Amino acid sequence: MPDAPLISVRELSKQFRTFKRREGVWGAIQNLVKRDYRTVQAVDRVTFEIQRGDMVGYIGPNGAGKSTTIKMLTGILVPTGGEIHSNGYVPWKQRRQYVKTIGVVFGQRTQLWWDIAVIESFKLLRKIYDVPQRDYDERMELFNAVLKLNDYLHTPVRKLSLGERMRCDLAAALLHNPPILFLDEPTIGLDVVAKDHIRQFLKEINQRYRTTVLLTTHDLDDIEELCKRIMIIDHGRLLYDGPLALLKQKLLRTKQVKFVVKDSEQAARIAVLEKDGRKIEAVDHLTYRIVFDRAEVSTAELLRQILAEVEVRDLLIEDEPIEEIVKRIYAGEALKEVSA
Amino acid sequence: MGPGVRKHVELLVAYAVQFIKVRLAYRADFLISTGASMLATAFAFGFLVVLFQKVPQLAGWKFEEVLFLYGFSLIPFGLFNVVSLNLYNFGNDFIIEGKFDRVLLRPVASLYQVIFEVFRIESLHEVVVGLLGVWLAASRLKLAWGPLEFVLLFFFALCGAVIYVAIFLMLTCVSFWVEDRVGVHPPVWNLIAFGRYPLSIYSGFVQFLLSWIIPFGFATYYPSVRLLGRPEFRVYAWLVPVVAATFLTMAIALWNRGVREYSSTGS
């Protein structure tokens, strides 16, 4: 018997009424009297379910409705239509009980107190969430081990680097061991090492506590590393909801072969491969790349040609980066064949 | 309710301890701000002394009685100043800068989090100076106080602080509906000073305004009349807690409506 979904979202919609602000003092007075309202459909009849323990990536271009969805899921915003049931609660109706069972990280904005040492923030949060001392100690130990918080626990948040701050924010969001974790761009602005730390930590938490994670991101490596399932939203509509692998399989159009020739003598011969409108890019003086459409060219045939013409020292076949696929989806490429 | 109350008190203490630590970390800033604040209080008392060298009485009030009123008015005012900082900053910091999202993500009442996040502890000196003024005036007036008056002194002071909080909280709520960077607080804030003198020196309109619209009179004047044992407006003293409770209830109701507005617009 399958479990009931932990999060269930049905026909979720959010409209904002905004108005154009006029400039200047006179404009401000006019604003008070007469406003030209415009309705913006930020989220448009979105439906999905998430099972306990899943890690789901939620992507879309800026302004697509990701953050608005997260804000409704966390109880900050009240939907204008549809329903949310999350961990047995209706978030906006039972906000105070509900938020005890979720952790939230907004990458752009810290949840910690700016001026006080990190450890003091944690102690305050322990009180706010009624975390027993023993649980607190146990979790802090884990967080220290994976996130290496010890080095800056006594530093005020405002003095932390972005990467350090993000680690602290993650730990803070998980102090009360919530079954659900919402992350809005958790790796934004971080360097490769910090990103890797965060991803390892999320994996660890997911495995250890079966924490359900929904994360929005612009970095598709986050998704590839963490999520089997991906949801794509644009203009408030859910365009795709399914396995990442399926998306790739259906929409993958090009592949690339990268190869290193033996020496500069071989490099000089490279032009012989330039036929059938094929383009060869030089990566450096011995490394070359050929991008090809996998529907038109067979990989085996291409490899055979390359190996026949030049002496190759190393060779790598890669799929089109997931970024390229997603870019094409945003640009309006039909998803019919996938969402079916 | 029981454990809930205990948790909130514990939280309040934790917030306050944290805040004081931070304040003391910036020692110079703290000292300068305290010094400036004390200087302002000292000047205000100086003004009172100068005033009474020119006029012996103010609407039938002796110098010591006005000193008492002035001193008493500083007690609720000081208490209010300790917790009011975020009321002024709310529109900017919480609504426009978006800190209110964080507040809504925590399992504690939103208003509680906003008010008790920062404290202007240097304002406690106003409470001390106010108590000194009251003590000085009371001893020169040889007031015959029983235990009830001492209890009333603190009870009234607390009610007064609640009245101030309620009024300014209502003004703060404007930020939920209007993006407001200028602030609607300063004009009303200036009215507080009116309550430091006997209301009887003002026109009927001002008396009405300070009693029933923006009831600062109930924070300072009417309690002082009772504590001084003066004959006028004696029954009004019983209305002090009623006014405080009514205005606080209205302010909290308005706040809750504001939070709902925020939740549907995200501002």
Side-chain angles (χ1 to χ4, degrees):
Chain A
M1 194 184 86
D3 290 344
L6 188 63
I7 303 174
S8 148
V9 171
R10 216 157 294 283
E11 296 280 303
L12 182 67
S13 297
K14 180 72 189 176
Q15 289 180 342
F16 288 116
R17 225 157 62 113
T18 60
F19 65 92
K20 237 186 105 200
R21 274 171 216 286
R22 300 175 185 88
E23 302 277 311
V25 176
W26 175 237
I29 295 167
Q30 279 182 293
N31 282 342
L32 289 177
V33 186
K34 187 172 171 287
R35 290 174 176 184
D36 302 323
Y37 282 106
R38 207 159 52 88
T39 304
V40 179
Q41 186 82 38
V43 174
D44 191 6
R45 286 162 290 158
V46 164
T47 298
F48 60 84
E49 284 178 351
I50 295 177
Q51 304 293 330
R52 163 166 284 254
D54 279 358
M55 289 180 106
V56 179
Y58 193 39
I59 66 167
N62 289 324
K66 298 186 301 273
S67 291
T68 307
T69 313
I70 296 273
K71 282 187 176 183
M72 288 192 278
L73 284 167
T74 52
I76 295 174
L77 288 182
V78 182
T80 35
E83 284 171 34
I84 304 175
H85 291 278
S86 183
N87 199 28
Y89 296 99
V90 176
W92 61 276
K93 265 191 196 154
Q94 297 147 290
R95 190 175 54 74
R96 270 210 265 160
Q97 296 104 294
Y98 173 62
V99 294
K100 275 196 162 191
T101 71
I102 62 170
V104 185
V105 175
F106 291 119
Q108 315 263 31
R109 208 180 277 149
T110 181
Q111 309 286 306
L112 303 166
W113 286 266
W114 199 239
D115 280 319
I116 65 180
V118 176
I119 184 79
E120 305 288 356
S121 270
F122 286 174
K123 284 180 185 162
L124 276 179
L125 288 170
R126 185 181 85 75
K127 286 210 169 72
I128 289 176
Y129 287 98
D130 296 316
V131 181
Q133 188 69 45
R134 267 190 54 193
D135 298 0
Y136 172 84
D137 291 339
E138 182 206 303
R139 271 164 226 155
M140 282 304 285
E141 203 174 300
L142 171 71
F143 298 161
N144 279 330
V146 187
L147 292 171
K148 314 264 182 300
L149 298 181
N150 268 336
D151 304 339
Y152 40 85
L153 270 184
H154 295 279
T155 313
V157 175
R158 70 190 143 79
K159 288 190 181 164
L160 298 181
S161 74
L162 189 60
E164 292 165 343
R165 206 210 75 202
M166 188 58 65
R167 280 171 236 200
C168 292
D169 258 312
L170 257 180
L174 289 162
L175 268 185
H176 52 296
N177 197 15
I180 308 175
L181 182 60
F182 295 103
L183 306 166
D184 196 3
E185 310 211 12
T187 58
I188 194 163
L190 301 187
D191 61 56
V192 185
V193 180
K195 277 183 183 177
D196 189 54
H197 263 123
I198 301 270
R199 289 173 192 151
Q200 291 312 317
F201 179 68
L202 290 174
K203 275 186 197 165
E204 169 100 25
I205 288 294
N206 173 256
Q207 275 161 20
R208 188 159 175 155
Y209 297 114
R210 238 183 130 204
T211 309
T212 306
V213 180
L214 178 66
L215 69 102
T216 78
T217 185
H218 282 295
D219 185 343
L220 289 153
D221 291 342
D222 288 345
I223 310 255
E224 296 218 79
E225 288 253 340
L226 296 171
C227 310
K228 290 198 186 72
R229 174 173 162 205
I230 182 172
M231 298 194 292
I232 302 177
I233 188 175
D234 196 13
H235 296 109
R237 312 254 2 210
L238 205 55
L239 297 182
Y240 176 77
D241 178 1
L244 183 60
L246 184 67
L247 183 75
K248 272 188 171 176
Q249 190 196 320
K250 294 272 180 152
L251 284 188
L252 201 63
R253 188 191 283 162
T254 60
K255 284 192 170 207
Q256 65 173 22
V257 180
K258 212 156 119 184
F259 58 97
V260 184
V261 294
K262 196 175 144 232
D263 48 34
S264 40
E265 198 184 305
Q266 291 296 321
R269 293 176 38 81
I270 204 78
V272 299
L273 285 168
E274 266 181 349
K275 51 186 179 187
D276 309 331
R278 187 184 297 147
K279 277 189 73 179
I280 302 178
E281 297 165 63
V283 180
D284 61 42
H285 72 289
L286 290 180
T287 315
Y288 296 88
R289 175 166 55 206
I290 300 175
V291 179
F292 62 99
D293 192 323
R294 71 182 189 129
E296 287 168 16
V297 180
S298 119
T299 314
E301 170 61 17
L302 180 68
L303 287 188
R304 204 186 52 73
Q305 283 185 26
I306 294 171
L307 296 174
E309 298 291 347
V310 288
E311 266 187 79
V312 170
R313 203 171 59 195
D314 197 2
L315 186 142
L316 182 70
I317 307 163
E318 279 176 335
D319 288 342
E320 179 182 27
I322 181 85
E323 274 88 354
E324 296 300 319
I325 301 177
V326 170
K327 252 189 233 163
R328 296 210 313 266
I329 294 173
Y330 294 167
E333 175 151 320
L335 268 166
K336 287 182 247 57
E337 68 237 78
V338 189
S339 31
Chain B
M1 196 66 195
V5 170
R6 203 179 133 201
K7 179 191 167 185
H8 280 79
V9 172
E10 274 180 19
L11 254 184
L12 173 59
V13 173
Y15 273 141
V17 168
Q18 266 326 313
F19 188 77
I20 289 165
K21 271 195 209 160
V22 173
R23 261 333 237 136
L24 294 180
Y26 300 92
R27 212 162 295 147
D29 177 57
F30 177 71
L31 288 176
I32 291 168
S33 144
T34 310
S37 178
M38 287 175 89
L39 213 59
T41 313
F43 273 126
F45 269 104
F47 172 74
L48 206 63
V49 174
V50 171
L51 178 73
F52 271 87
Q53 276 169 354
K54 302 282 176 204
V55 284
Q57 291 222 327
L58 206 57
W61 284 52
K62 288 186 290 205
F63 170 69
E64 286 81 4
E65 288 175 315
V66 176
L67 179 66
F68 184 97
L69 169 56
Y70 202 99
F72 177 77
S73 75
L74 285 181
I75 304 171
F77 181 64
L79 292 175
F80 160 70
N81 281 340
V82 171
V83 296
S84 63
L85 214 52
N86 266 350
L87 295 183
Y88 310 125
N89 299 339
F90 185 74
N92 247 319
D93 289 4
F94 286 80
I95 301 290
I96 297 174
E97 303 279 325
K99 249 167 86 180
F100 201 58
D101 283 356
R102 178 179 95 179
V103 169
L104 291 181
L105 290 175
R106 296 200 172 133
V108 176
S110 56
L111 180 58
Y112 197 88
Q113 291 184 64
V114 170
I115 288 200
F116 296 128
E117 193 196 45
V118 288
F119 303 90
R120 189 155 43 190
I121 32 179
E122 54 267 43
S123 284
L124 281 177
H125 93 271
E126 286 156 355
V127 176
V128 175
V129 172
L131 283 170
L132 277 175
V134 165
W135 173 75
L136 191 70
S139 55
R140 286 182 64 172
L141 286 166
K142 301 192 171 52
L143 293 179
W145 273 17
L148 174 66
E149 274 74 17
F150 284 99
V151 174
L152 277 181
L153 176 74
F154 289 100
F155 179 66
F156 283 151
L158 208 62
C159 289
V162 167
I163 290 174
Y164 288 139
V165 169
I167 294 294
F168 285 97
L169 179 55
M170 289 190 208
L171 296 176
T172 299
C173 289
V174 170
S175 301
F176 283 120
W177 286 272
V178 184
E179 194 174 287
D180 158 44
R181 278 196 190 267
V182 187
V184 282
H185 300 90
V188 180
W189 205 83
N190 288 329
L191 283 179
I192 291 180
F194 283 62
R196 293 180 185 150
Y197 302 97
L199 279 196
S200 40
I201 66 172
Y202 304 117
S203 69
F205 168 72
V206 175
Q207 287 188 36
F208 180 78
L209 176 75
L210 291 181
S211 299
W212 308 114
I213 310 295
I214 303 172
F216 291 158
F218 280 98
T220 55
Y221 175 67
Y222 297 120
S224 296
V225 163
R226 167 68 184 80
L227 293 169
L228 283 166
R230 285 186 61 91
E232 66 263 40
F233 298 115
R234 289 208 59 146
V235 285
Y236 278 47
W238 301 111
L239 285 177
V240 169
V242 179
V243 170
T246 309
F247 274 78
L248 186 64
T249 307
M250 292 197 302
I252 290 174
L254 189 63
W255 173 270
N256 289 335
R257 284 202 54 175
V259 173
R260 274 207 297 281
E261 170 71 19
Y262 180 88
S263 305
S264 35
T265 60
S267 290

